[in-house]
Amino acid sequence: MATQDDDHGNKGSDRIKDSAQQIWLAGLGAFAKMQQEGSKAFEALVKDGAGMQKKTQAAAEETLTQAQTRMAGFASEFGTKAAGQWGKLENIFEERVARALEKLGLPSAADHAALQARVAALEAELQRMQGKGTAAPARTASRKTAGRSAASPASATKKTVRRSTKAG
């Protein structure tokens, strides 16, 4: 009976060895097949990765373009608002300067323009009168002008004398 159990034990052991051998050979076969097809699989993965990269780059560029368009709109809107505020600030400044000049008794730009127009009209009238042959008003005007120009150098040559005081 011992021989029958030994034969039965040897057969089970042989089956396990055979099964292990087959598993080992299957593993070696899978490894060999992967070596052969590994480069093909790698190339396929690279191709898929390149396609994915193109898609993500296109999406990123589209998003960037949209962001640039929005920022340009914001900048334009901000520039318009800033220009409007700058105009208001400029008007306020001009009004305050005009009020300050008025308080000091200085003529405004409109007063100055009106005075210039009046001088131009008087000069035209003087020219017209001189052209008709009436020299009397012209001499009077020239005497007044000469008197003013003669007074100017005298006032320009006036000197102010300072007295020095010594402490002590």
Side-chain angles (χ1 to χ4, degrees):
M1 288 243 196
T3 56
Q4 200 175 14
D5 285 337
D6 285 339
D7 283 340
H8 194 338
N10 282 340
K11 286 183 184 180
S13 172
D14 286 341
R15 276 192 212 162
I16 291 174
K17 283 183 186 177
D18 286 342
S19 180
Q21 183 68 28
Q22 287 178 352
I23 291 172
W24 173 254
L25 292 175
L28 286 177
F31 180 72
K33 192 160 196 144
M34 283 307 295
Q35 280 184 331
Q36 290 174 357
E37 294 181 13
S39 62
K40 292 178 187 177
F42 181 77
E43 289 173 8
L45 290 172
V46 168
K47 185 178 176 183
D48 291 345
M52 180 61 86
Q53 183 178 8
K54 286 179 184 178
K55 287 178 184 178
T56 57
Q57 280 179 340
E61 287 175 3
E62 182 180 336
T63 303
L64 180 63
T65 302
Q66 289 174 354
Q68 286 174 337
T69 303
R70 285 184 191 161
M71 287 299 126
F74 290 148
S76 175
E77 184 179 331
F78 179 74
T80 303
K81 286 181 179 179
Q85 294 300 324
W86 188 255
K88 288 178 183 178
L89 181 63
E90 188 176 1
N91 288 340
I92 291 169
F93 180 75
E94 286 176 357
E95 289 173 7
R96 288 186 180 175
V97 168
R99 277 189 268 153
L101 291 174
E102 185 180 340
K103 285 180 181 179
L104 291 172
L106 297 174
S108 67
D111 294 338
H112 187 50
L115 185 59
Q116 283 179 330
R118 189 171 172 199
V119 168
L122 289 172
E123 286 177 345
E125 181 67 23
L126 183 61
Q127 289 294 327
R128 187 181 62 79
M129 291 176 74
Q130 284 178 349
K132 285 186 175 179
T134 52
R139 278 191 221 136
T140 308
S142 64
R143 282 187 200 147
K144 287 181 181 177
T145 308
R148 284 189 201 143
S149 60
S152 287
S155 64
T157 57
K158 265 189 184 177
K159 292 183 180 177
T160 306
V161 179
R162 285 187 159 183
R163 295 183 184 172
S164 60
T165 58
K166 291 184 181 178

